[in-house]
Amino acid sequence: MGDVHNEFSGTAFGPVVQAGSIGTLVLPPPTPVVLAGLPPAPEIFVGRDRLLTEILEDVRPRKAPLRLQGTRTAVRKWRSSVDTWEQGRTVVMLSGPPGGGKTGLALRAGHEAAVRKWYNHQLYVDLRAYEDPSLKPDVVGALGALLRALGFPAETMGETVQARSMHYRSRLSGLARCGHPVLVLLDNASSHEQIEPLLPPHPRNCTLVIGRQRLAGAGLTGARQRRVTVFDEAEAVAFLQMAMTKARPGDERAGDLTDLRALAEVCGHLPLALDLAVAKLVAVEHMPVQALVTRLREASGPLDLGSGTTAVRAAFDLSYARLPPEQARLFRLVSLHPGSHFPTEDAAELTGLPLSEVTAHLESLANAHVVAESGAQYGTYRLHDVLRLYARERAEREDPDTVRRHAVARLLRHYVRIARQADAWLRYGSTRGAGDRFADRASALRWLDSENPALVGAVRLAAASGFPADATALALPLTSYFDLRKHWADWTGVHELAARCARETGDHTSEGDLLRHIGRAHAQRRRFDDALDCYHRARRAYRTAGNDQGTRVVLGQVLRLLQDVEVSPWAVAKAITRYERVAEFCRAADDPTTLANVLTNLGNLHYNNGSYTSASNCHLEAMAVRRRAGDVRGVAQSLVNLGNVARRKADPGQAATDYDLASKLFRDADDRYGEAQALENLGLTHLAARNVRAGRAAWRAAADCFAADGHMEESERLRRAVETLGRRRERRALLQALTGRTTFGAGMIAGVSGQAAGDSAGGSGQSDHDGDHDPQQGHDDHIGDGHSFDAAGAHEPQNVINIEHTDVVPDHGNGYGVMDDDHDHYDDDQDHDWD
């Protein structure tokens, strides 16, 4: 498991709780769960009809004030009343005891509201606040997940509560004004701090907040308060009868009202306790109801969860006492899982038991209603938050620290192993090694998508509980996935935390790798100062490790970063000379992967310098190298570059062929964003050739790809452009503008330098800021004049239709690393620089 140190320093991604001793397991704060839709409501619903009707009335979308006809004064009053109305919000607070059926009732209301077509979108957020109320809630993570569910581009959402909350409110307010209101269900909420940033504005939107205690005031001022109490006697008996007869039609015990009343009383009329009691009766077909009542009355005292009732503890104790030893152990250990849902194979790793045996145990636990099937996919289960606390309490009481730590260590090793296999499919696409669990790239990507919250939680768990080497080993293979999906906050946060862990263990090479990847993430977001800072930190780590190759890689990345902001002929010529030297070195060293990336950057430099023949030769050689390596995504990126060159050389037929083939290859590589960019360029090429029908079709397809990848603003931008093409006058102006258009890359450089695209060739475009370098780092800091750049200057030029895209790799900084199996870290192949 690597070296373990009983210390931790620095500021981590989310709260990090240090273990009290090396033998203590400390769980990190739970990660919020966000779904773009509502989970299924419970099948059995009794006794809450009146309350459901009241809640539905509460969540009905509010209508705007009626428009007043008449004088200007009346119209002004109406507009004022509309403005005031739009500042309001609709919030309903459901509170009640744990296990009281609050979530089931809220889901019932949410689904009914959807059936009535009140809301176009529903968002479900499980804040998991009661799993460890002492820890600060992850509001930043919840906002990020909500914005992704709403299709907000990850690269623009920011990294603070303030920034994300602003985007969240703006998006939901805009949807409501356009007649697309949203219902947000916040489950397991415990504080104003957690809730207020998640409350959508505009009264057409609605928030259902579910918590154990009544929350009022601040952002909840004016919220409609609904108290969900336990069942009364008649409702509890009806629930027992319905549940028993549904499980066993004709069960005679359901007609014994006296015993059922006694059972309801001993369960405190609490729905969760009643549900567990029914599970006992169903499991033991001939058990008299009175016998179960007797056993519940003999159970132990209340569970200390703030429930204020003995029913929870009594029902849980009885259910737990009936579990066979292996099932009881499984129940305890799955409470250590970092996700809200856990697949069967994760439970097998926690217990160390065979998968088939764990599958049978989980099915038995589900039949006993101790765990529940998540509904997300077959073989995935979840724990009610109260049951998770109970299971964790049992684990701390019955399992020694060493047992729990070994369970977590097995799970972390499992995640590292599978994440590396998934990463290999993402980066190579055609490699299947011995023991690989994935059949193809698509299955690897599906696993990463479904397990992303748990993987992020696992890195935090490893760092918090004294497994720093595992935090590093797990974070590195997640790089390509974060890059592909553009999960900026997860990428930078997880890697920062893992880099600190690597530094704590003395693994400075991995520290440099992680910091370099963070720099690449910042570079993609055009946060040049942050990127340069990370590159400088990475170089210091490499130098401490004596890793000369890593140092050269960082210097190459600094040089590539400066391409985005330097436009002086001297800087371009210097960069071309350096890249030509690196290319010769790679050919001599028989390093084809690095050679392809170097040639790509060199080709783009020639392209920006107007040397189109040289640019084409570089991209053709890079494409040939990538094709031999089976790098489908890399070949597609080379084709986009070749299409750009062909278009600049006034060969629209060849450009269209290149873009079309690139889009198909991107689709094969599951890169919808790259496919969208290639299709957008294809449409631009057709339009420049006055083929409006083909251009419109390509842009529609690109908009669909952007939408499928969650980039709704990009999709809407293209859809608006398609609409423009349908209006004759605006179409004529657009086509005239496209005929002599500059490239997207030139437009970006012009945007950074603050010049118009047509004037960018005449200025240096260099930053006026002085370099901010560590003087102890030596003269290598000053490659490309060593300027630092302010990301705030990276704006779009105002007088350019900026819709053409160039190669994704050099312009956006995607990397294709090569895993070093001997050292469990990556030797990235991007942009070496040798002096």
Side-chain angles (χ1 to χ4, degrees):
M1 297 302 297
D3 296 333
V4 177
H5 298 271
N6 185 29
E7 58 184 17
F8 195 83
S9 62
T11 303
F13 173 59
V16 170
V17 184
Q18 179 170 333
S21 66
I22 199 63
T24 300
L25 178 68
V26 179
L27 296 174
T31 302
V33 178
V34 175
L35 301 176
L38 299 179
E43 295 183 18
I44 300 175
F45 184 80
V46 297
R48 300 284 170 81
D49 294 314
R50 180 177 177 181
L51 185 55
L52 176 61
T53 301
E54 293 173 346
I55 294 173
L56 285 172
E57 185 59 33
D58 294 335
V59 303
R60 182 192 296 271
R62 300 296 180 255
K63 295 182 179 180
L66 293 175
R67 180 163 186 169
L68 300 178
Q69 301 295 331
T71 65
R72 292 182 179 179
T73 302
V75 172
R76 282 198 299 269
K77 288 182 179 180
W78 169 75
R79 287 176 178 171
S80 177
S81 64
V82 170
D83 291 341
T84 303
W85 173 77
E86 287 190 346
Q87 298 304 313
R89 54 166 52 125
T90 302
V91 183
V92 183
M93 174 78 209
L94 304 185
S95 57
K102 303 182 298 296
T103 300
L105 179 60
L107 290 174
R108 194 85 176 190
H111 283 287
E112 180 61 27
V115 169
R116 299 185 186 189
K117 301 186 183 304
W118 287 351
Y119 297 98
N120 297 79
H121 310 279
Q122 299 86 35
L123 298 173
Y124 173 82
V125 187
D126 185 357
L127 296 168
R128 305 175 68 188
Y130 298 102
E131 293 185 20
D132 193 337
S134 65
L135 295 173
K136 185 177 180 180
D138 184 12
V139 181
V140 174
L143 283 168
L146 280 166
L147 286 170
R148 284 196 294 271
L150 289 165
F152 197 88
E155 60 268 29
T156 60
M157 68 174 57
E159 298 177 0
T160 65
V161 171
Q162 292 76 16
R164 292 187 173 186
S165 181
M166 178 188 67
H167 291 309
Y168 174 70
R169 292 194 303 270
S170 176
R171 174 58 60 89
L172 290 187
S173 181
L175 286 171
R177 290 193 183 98
C178 295
H180 300 284
V182 180
L183 174 66
V184 181
L185 200 156
L186 304 178
D187 201 359
N188 290 309
S190 64
S191 66
H192 292 96
E193 177 189 18
Q194 193 178 38
I195 295 172
E196 288 192 47
L198 309 182
L199 295 176
H202 204 284
R204 283 201 184 103
N205 295 322
C206 180
T207 312
L208 265 173
V209 183
I210 305 170
R212 295 181 187 174
Q213 66 269 21
R214 180 179 180 271
L215 299 173
L220 290 174
T221 299
R224 185 66 170 122
Q225 298 286 341
R226 296 292 180 185
R227 178 72 177 173
V228 182
T229 61
V230 299
F231 288 144
D232 61 25
E233 182 182 88
E235 293 168 342
V237 171
F239 177 88
L240 290 170
Q241 288 179 315
M242 187 178 296
M244 292 171 66
T245 55
K246 182 176 179 60
R248 291 187 180 277
D251 193 333
E252 295 180 355
R253 294 172 296 178
D256 191 345
L257 297 182
T258 301
D259 287 346
L260 290 180
R261 291 190 188 99
L263 178 58
E265 181 181 359
V266 77
C267 287
H269 299 164
L270 193 71
L272 181 59
L274 292 168
D275 192 46
L276 289 169
V278 171
K280 303 298 176 298
L281 294 172
V282 172
V284 186
E285 183 177 358
H286 301 294
M287 172 186 278
V289 176
Q290 185 57 47
L292 179 58
V293 172
T294 301
R295 298 187 63 176
L296 282 169
R297 284 173 175 164
E298 294 173 353
S300 56
L303 181 66
D304 185 17
L305 296 172
S307 62
T309 177
T310 61
V312 176
R313 167 69 74 177
F316 288 3
D317 281 346
L318 184 58
S319 297
Y320 181 77
R322 288 186 57 84
L323 297 177
E326 287 297 339
Q327 291 183 22
R329 178 172 175 268
L330 172 60
F331 172 65
R332 297 192 303 267
L333 293 181
V334 294
S335 69
L336 307 177
H337 193 275
S340 63
H341 304 75
F342 57 90
T344 305
E345 61 179 338
D346 289 6
E349 294 295 335
L350 284 165
T351 59
L353 297 175
L355 184 62
S356 58
E357 188 175 339
V358 171
T359 300
H361 288 331
L362 284 173
E363 289 175 352
S364 298
L365 291 174
N367 290 333
H369 292 210
V370 175
V371 301
E373 295 186 47
S374 69
Q377 59 185 22
Y378 174 75
T380 304
Y381 297 86
R382 62 180 174 83
L383 280 172
H384 189 285
D385 59 329
V386 179
L387 277 167
R388 182 184 290 272
L389 284 174
Y390 178 83
R392 194 170 294 170
E393 175 195 277
R394 283 282 186 176
E396 292 174 355
R397 184 192 309 169
E398 301 179 27
D399 297 314
D401 283 345
T402 53
V403 171
R404 288 180 284 127
R405 288 181 61 79
H406 286 157
V408 170
R410 286 192 298 269
L411 180 65
L412 293 174
R413 283 198 299 266
H414 163 74
Y415 274 145
V416 170
R417 181 174 65 254
I418 304 303
R420 285 175 173 170
Q421 294 174 7
D423 180 55
W425 278 102
L426 256 62
R427 292 185 299 117
Y428 306 124
S430 59
T431 300
R432 182 172 174 82
D436 194 339
R437 59 162 289 166
F438 302 112
D440 50 30
R441 188 177 187 275
S443 60
L445 190 56
R446 282 195 300 271
W447 181 82
L448 287 165
D449 283 335
S450 64
E451 293 296 306
N452 178 53
L455 291 167
V456 171
V459 175
R460 297 163 67 179
L461 173 62
S465 299
F467 297 108
D470 292 282
T472 301
L474 180 55
L476 280 168
L478 296 178
T479 306
S480 296
Y481 171 72
F482 290 151
D483 187 359
L484 180 64
R485 288 294 191 237
K486 306 305 177 191
H487 289 179
W488 307 105
D490 287 345
W491 186 354
T492 56
V494 164
H495 280 50
E496 280 283 6
L497 178 56
R500 295 187 186 99
C501 290
R503 184 166 61 251
E504 291 291 322
T505 60
D507 185 1
H508 296 293
T509 291
S510 292
E511 179 191 1
D513 291 341
L514 289 159
L515 290 170
R516 178 165 51 85
H517 292 317
I518 299 171
R520 189 154 52 87
H522 287 311
Q524 290 183 22
R525 305 179 72 178
R526 307 192 70 78
R527 296 183 173 182
F528 299 126
D529 285 334
D530 293 336
L532 286 173
D533 177 68
C534 287
Y535 289 150
H536 294 329
R537 291 162 59 199
R539 189 185 57 238
R540 287 196 294 268
Y542 284 133
R543 285 181 172 174
T544 302
N547 189 331
D548 294 335
Q549 182 184 15
T551 303
R552 291 193 295 268
V553 170
V554 171
L555 291 176
Q557 288 188 304
V558 170
L559 177 61
R560 186 184 66 190
L561 179 68
L562 296 179
Q563 291 178 30
D564 287 335
V565 291
E566 292 273 5
V567 294
S568 68
W570 174 85
V572 172
K574 183 177 181 181
I576 288 175
T577 300
R578 289 180 179 275
Y579 272 116
E580 287 175 342
R581 291 166 55 193
V582 175
E584 288 301 324
F585 182 92
C586 292
R587 292 188 186 98
D590 192 22
D591 185 357
T593 308
T594 305
L595 175 61
N597 288 283
V598 170
L599 287 169
T600 296
N601 285 317
L602 181 58
N604 280 343
L605 286 170
H606 282 306
Y607 177 88
N608 291 333
N609 205 33
S611 303
Y612 301 127
T613 300
S614 298
S616 180
N617 292 335
C618 289
H619 292 316
L620 284 170
E621 184 179 357
M623 183 173 66
V625 171
R626 287 167 166 169
R627 183 174 285 122
R628 287 194 296 270
D631 183 0
V632 176
R633 190 174 176 222
V635 171
Q637 290 159 338
S638 293
L639 282 167
V640 170
N641 274 338
L642 286 168
N644 292 339
V645 174
R647 185 168 172 273
R648 180 54 66 89
K649 293 170 69 176
D651 189 352
Q654 183 61 50
T657 300
D658 291 337
Y659 291 140
D660 183 58
L661 180 56
S663 70
K664 293 179 173 63
L665 292 178
F666 277 127
R667 187 185 313 138
D668 293 340
D670 295 316
D671 187 346
R672 302 306 299 273
Y673 193 85
E675 180 185 357
Q677 289 179 318
L679 288 169
E680 187 172 352
N681 272 2
L682 176 61
L684 185 68
T685 303
H686 286 314
L687 291 171
R690 296 297 193 273
N691 189 344
V692 177
R693 178 176 297 179
R696 183 185 298 169
W699 277 3
R700 284 199 185 104
D704 292 341
C705 290
F706 277 130
D709 200 44
H711 294 270
M712 301 306 296
E713 290 191 351
E714 294 290 324
S715 178
E716 289 301 317
R717 172 179 58 82
L718 278 182
R719 295 191 194 282
R720 288 194 298 270
V722 170
E723 292 177 0
T724 299
L725 291 172
R727 295 187 287 269
R728 180 175 301 177
R729 180 176 299 178
E730 295 181 29
R731 179 175 66 223
R732 185 182 300 114
L734 176 59
L735 293 178
Q736 289 175 352
L738 292 176
T739 302
R741 221 192 81 60
T742 58
T743 67
F744 176 77
M748 292 299 290
I749 292 176
V752 173
S753 63
Q755 303 172 20
D759 300 332
S760 60
S764 68
Q766 296 183 5
S767 170
D768 293 332
H769 299 290
D770 294 329
D772 182 15
H773 303 296
D774 185 347
Q776 297 179 353
Q777 294 304 309
H779 69 279
D780 288 335
D781 281 339
H782 300 288
I783 279 188
D785 283 345
H787 297 292
S788 66
F789 300 91
D790 187 354
H795 57 272
E796 298 280 337
Q798 298 300 312
N799 60 341
V800 176
I801 304 173
N802 192 7
I803 53 180
E804 181 180 351
H805 295 277
T806 55
D807 187 314
V808 180
V809 171
D811 286 347
H812 299 290
N814 295 333
Y816 290 86
V818 178
M819 183 180 293
D820 186 342
D821 295 325
D822 296 331
H823 302 289
D824 291 335
H825 59 77
Y826 292 89
D827 290 331
D828 194 294
D829 50 29
Q830 289 279 7
D831 305 322
H832 298 275
D833 181 77
W834 281 266
D835 286 321

